[in-house]
Amino acid sequence: MDCANFNASPSDAYWLLLTSLSQIPLWHYLIAVTIAFVVFVYNFLEFHLLEDFYSGFRGSPVGFTYNSCSEIYDGVVSKCSILNGRYLPTFWLSSPHVQTCFLNFFGRPPSFKYRRQMYTSSDGGTIALDWLRSSDVSHDALHGDDTVPKDDPTPLVVVIPGLTSDSSSAYLKHLAFCTAKRGWNVVISNHRGLGGVSITSDCFYNAGWTEDARAVIRYLHEEYPRAPLFVIGTSIGANVLVKYLGEEGENIPVAGAVAICSPWDLLIGDRFINRRLVQKFYDRALASGLQGYAKMHQPHFARLANWEGIENSLSIRDFDDHATRVVGKYETVDTYYRRCSSSIYVQSVAVPLLCISALDDPVCTREAIPWDECRANKNVVLATTKHGGHLAFFEGMTASSLWWVRAANEFLGVLHTSKYMHVQKEISKPHTPWDTPIDQGPYVNFADGMVAASEQTTHNEKESQAIPSDQHQTNNERIQEEQLAVPRADANCDDATPSITETPSVQGDAMPLDVIAPFKRYLGQLTRQSRWSIWLLLYIAVTTSWPLVGSALRLVCGKKLKGVLPGGFLRR
């Protein structure tokens, strides 16, 4: 070999490398770039086709989270073959993002027509109720009556749509058609301002607005008292549904419910949807939908909210900051998210509730699912699938059906034929986390010689205090009446009744009696019960402080006793 080759410069080495690379055919480079692009897209869009292939396209089983003593699981869910089977997504839609986008852009919904009913709420708001009866999808139905008889016992399913969705959305058409084909009637309660209906009041819907659902369900129950009432909520509608169920508790006319792809915790969802690039696409798309909703009702939003901020919103949080928070009178966006999250209401749900969520949901993250709360409530069963996307769950070679629609209908069908349907009970509403301010704490109350910690007045207690004192008297008032025995006249009678006593007024000389007398009794009882304890404390005090006292006496009296005591005694 020529020695000159060993003295080649680095530039010559790079030139040789480029010359060698130029000899590789161009189509080899195209293949390499294509492979790299496919790998990137496969991971970016979270495809699981290879995973399905390795499993033999058997799908994955449904995971359940429920209370070990749950009768809803043992008596209803365990008898549902669809829920206890496996879910296999359509193989050419083996990605949560592809499934979600395919649902929104295509969806392949069945073809039918709703029957519309306009409902006006107490504040003047207008809600479009779109009906699909079982007779509307039957082959022998030609020109039936447009109205449902009031004594019709056919089960009625009320559907609460997701964010910016209405009855024309593909997934709601799938749900309505399949439910009606089972022989049940369906009512889709569109949100205010959606479904082609104008806003007729200064109140808009949001992720925690339960008043419309409450009013519609109450109205349908009163109109059709013999029809078992079931409710299905999707996405934001599922959040509204769970929050409504938790607020009402036992006093609710709903026999059973299903929540599909609920966001659960809006604050966690807000952090999640801004985390990755692919999630930001959903954030921007949903914000555009909200902007379109606002533009349809611009006069109201321009008057009640920050219209310039709405137009410049690039995310859901921006829209909520300039519109939802302002109209709903929330201090901050985070305050709105915390107060409207349904996760804190799961513990109060008293209705059989099935919750279905996909662990790969690209919009509603699995991090927000309240696993422990669902496990603690005997009325709640959480079913999670490994794949499915957001409200998609396509199945079959042609992607013509949605798995969650069949699962929800089967659950409600089994529940309807069981003994576990909820029956409304007239009791007070359960306590919710927002009934009292967070700074309310216990205070010490002296009563009849005992010290008790009493909570500050709650919202329900304030309502009971508004009732006249002659009808509801507290324990303290009764004790004071027995002690003072002051005659009074009934507030509702003109003549005085000596046998009825009255609580002394807090004015004048009565106040010292109310406070000092119980306090003296308390001191007396404390002295009698604690006599031995006081002597014991005194003994402990003397024995523990004696070394200090002795040392002080030694320093003070040492010089004076030096001439009296024998020498060296003080030095011992």
Side-chain angles (χ1 to χ4, degrees):
M1 183 179 292
D2 192 356
C3 294
N5 293 335
F6 291 97
N7 298 325
S9 63
S11 59
D12 295 336
Y14 283 113
W15 175 256
L16 292 174
L17 178 61
L18 292 175
T19 303
S20 302
L21 292 176
S22 64
Q23 302 299 319
I24 300 177
L26 180 61
W27 63 275
H28 287 190
Y29 288 105
L30 295 178
I31 293 177
V33 171
T34 302
I35 293 175
F37 178 76
V38 169
V39 171
F40 170 78
V41 172
Y42 187 91
N43 289 277
F44 183 77
L45 297 181
E46 302 176 57
F47 275 92
H48 47 82
L49 181 61
L50 293 178
E51 176 186 338
D52 296 338
F53 176 78
Y54 291 144
S55 65
F57 292 100
R58 298 177 58 247
S60 57
V62 180
F64 294 102
T65 302
Y66 59 93
N67 190 282
S68 59
C69 302
S70 173
E71 295 181 344
I72 305 302
Y73 177 80
D74 295 334
V76 181
V77 176
S78 62
K79 299 179 180 179
C80 297
S81 59
I82 298 176
L83 286 171
N84 288 276
R86 290 172 171 266
Y87 167 63
L88 175 63
T90 302
F91 78 94
W92 47 274
L93 294 175
S94 57
S95 163
H97 307 287
V98 176
Q99 282 214 50
T100 303
C101 293
F102 185 83
L103 175 66
N104 287 272
F105 291 107
F106 302 100
R108 296 185 177 178
S111 178
F112 60 86
K113 291 183 179 180
Y114 294 104
R115 300 172 186 265
R116 171 154 294 188
Q117 176 187 2
M118 305 305 296
Y119 173 79
T120 303
S121 62
S122 58
D123 65 340
T126 303
I127 301 172
L129 303 179
D130 287 331
W131 286 75
L132 185 66
R133 302 178 303 171
S134 59
S135 59
D136 295 333
V137 296
S138 59
H139 297 290
D140 56 348
L142 297 177
H143 300 285
D145 189 5
D146 291 343
T147 61
V148 178
K150 291 184 177 296
D151 59 348
D152 188 0
T154 304
L156 182 60
V157 177
V158 182
V159 181
I160 306 176
L163 187 68
T164 68
S165 297
D166 56 21
S167 58
S168 63
S169 300
Y171 69 92
L172 292 180
K173 282 194 168 185
H174 277 284
L175 174 61
F177 184 81
C178 292
T179 306
K181 289 288 288 184
R182 292 176 59 91
W184 291 11
N185 296 328
V186 183
V187 179
I188 298 182
S189 178
N190 294 283
H191 296 297
R192 299 187 180 203
L194 292 174
V197 178
S198 300
I199 291 180
T200 56
S201 68
D202 289 344
C203 186
F204 306 149
Y205 83 97
N206 57 48
W209 178 254
T210 59
E211 292 303 318
D212 288 348
R214 181 177 292 105
V216 169
I217 291 173
R218 185 187 302 116
Y219 162 75
L220 293 174
H221 175 64
E222 293 174 353
E223 287 292 311
Y224 311 99
R226 294 189 56 192
L229 198 61
F230 301 95
V231 186
I232 298 178
T234 58
S235 192
I236 288 296
N239 186 82
V240 173
L241 170 61
V242 176
K243 184 173 181 287
Y244 161 66
L245 297 178
E247 290 173 347
E248 295 298 308
E250 293 279 355
N251 187 16
I252 189 172
V254 176
V258 181
I260 309 296
C261 295
S262 174
W264 296 110
D265 192 311
L266 303 179
L267 193 60
I268 295 178
D270 173 65
R271 304 297 190 265
F272 169 77
I273 208 167
N274 288 283
R275 184 179 302 169
R276 297 175 57 207
L277 179 61
V278 65
Q279 265 72 44
K280 292 181 179 180
F281 286 116
Y282 293 103
D283 192 16
R284 185 68 185 92
L286 292 172
S288 298
L290 290 171
Q291 286 177 320
Y293 169 73
K295 290 178 180 178
M296 289 190 299
H297 313 287
Q298 180 175 351
H300 295 273
F301 278 93
R303 177 169 53 89
L304 300 174
N306 180 8
W307 181 252
E308 182 179 356
I310 292 175
E311 288 185 315
N312 297 327
S313 296
L314 298 178
S315 64
I316 300 175
R317 186 180 182 87
D318 291 342
F319 183 89
D320 289 337
D321 187 29
H322 298 297
T324 310
R325 177 190 64 81
V326 179
V327 177
K329 296 180 174 57
Y330 294 99
E331 295 85 355
T332 64
V333 179
D334 284 356
T335 302
Y336 159 61
Y337 289 155
R338 288 190 180 96
R339 288 181 175 263
C340 292
S341 296
S342 62
S343 58
I344 59 177
Y345 293 89
V346 176
Q347 59 185 349
S348 303
V349 174
V351 173
L353 173 65
L354 172 67
C355 306
I356 298 178
S357 294
L359 299 181
D360 64 352
D361 193 320
V363 178
C364 300
T365 174
R366 61 187 295 180
E367 300 171 13
I369 297 177
W371 304 93
D372 291 341
E373 288 81 354
C374 293
R375 187 179 294 107
N377 193 329
K378 297 180 180 180
N379 300 304
V380 179
V381 175
L382 172 64
T384 54
T385 60
K386 191 173 183 180
H387 306 294
H390 185 68
L391 296 175
F393 296 84
F394 283 102
E395 60 181 354
M397 291 292 294
T398 60
S400 58
S401 63
L402 306 182
W403 177 86
W404 68 263
V405 171
R406 296 195 303 119
N409 282 329
E410 183 187 35
F411 169 79
L412 295 181
V414 176
L415 178 63
H416 179 242
T417 58
S418 71
K419 62 179 181 179
Y420 301 107
M421 283 198 305
H422 173 73
V423 179
Q424 185 175 10
K425 299 178 182 178
E426 296 290 342
I427 60 176
S428 59
K429 294 182 180 181
H431 174 77
T432 58
W434 311 115
D435 285 345
T436 57
I438 60 175
D439 58 347
Q440 291 189 355
Y443 60 93
V444 177
N445 177 39
F446 293 96
D448 203 20
M450 300 297 292
V451 181
S454 303
E455 295 292 337
Q456 293 188 8
T457 305
T458 63
H459 177 69
N460 293 334
E461 292 173 342
K462 291 180 180 178
E463 293 180 352
S464 63
Q465 290 175 357
I467 302 176
S469 60
D470 60 322
Q471 299 178 14
H472 295 279
Q473 295 177 331
T474 61
N475 293 332
N476 289 337
E477 290 175 338
R478 293 175 181 173
I479 293 173
Q480 292 172 357
E481 288 173 1
E482 294 175 359
Q483 295 169 354
L484 300 175
V486 180
R488 74 172 179 89
D490 195 300
N492 298 328
C493 301
D494 295 333
D495 299 331
T497 305
S499 61
I500 302 178
T501 59
E502 184 181 33
T503 302
S505 172
V506 295
Q507 298 177 355
D509 298 335
M511 174 59 98
L513 294 176
D514 293 342
V515 177
I516 297 177
F519 187 71
K520 288 183 177 180
R521 289 196 303 273
Y522 164 72
L523 290 179
Q525 186 175 0
L526 181 63
T527 303
R528 291 192 301 271
Q529 295 179 353
S530 307
R531 184 175 301 156
W532 290 105
S533 298
I534 293 176
W535 283 110
L536 180 61
L537 291 174
L538 180 62
Y539 170 76
I540 294 174
V542 171
T543 55
T544 55
S545 61
W546 177 249
L548 297 177
V549 175
S551 300
L553 291 176
R554 182 176 180 179
L555 292 176
V556 173
C557 302
K559 295 182 179 180
K560 295 182 180 180
L561 298 177
K562 185 175 181 180
V564 178
L565 297 176
F569 180 80
L570 294 176
R571 291 191 296 270
R572 293 180 182 177

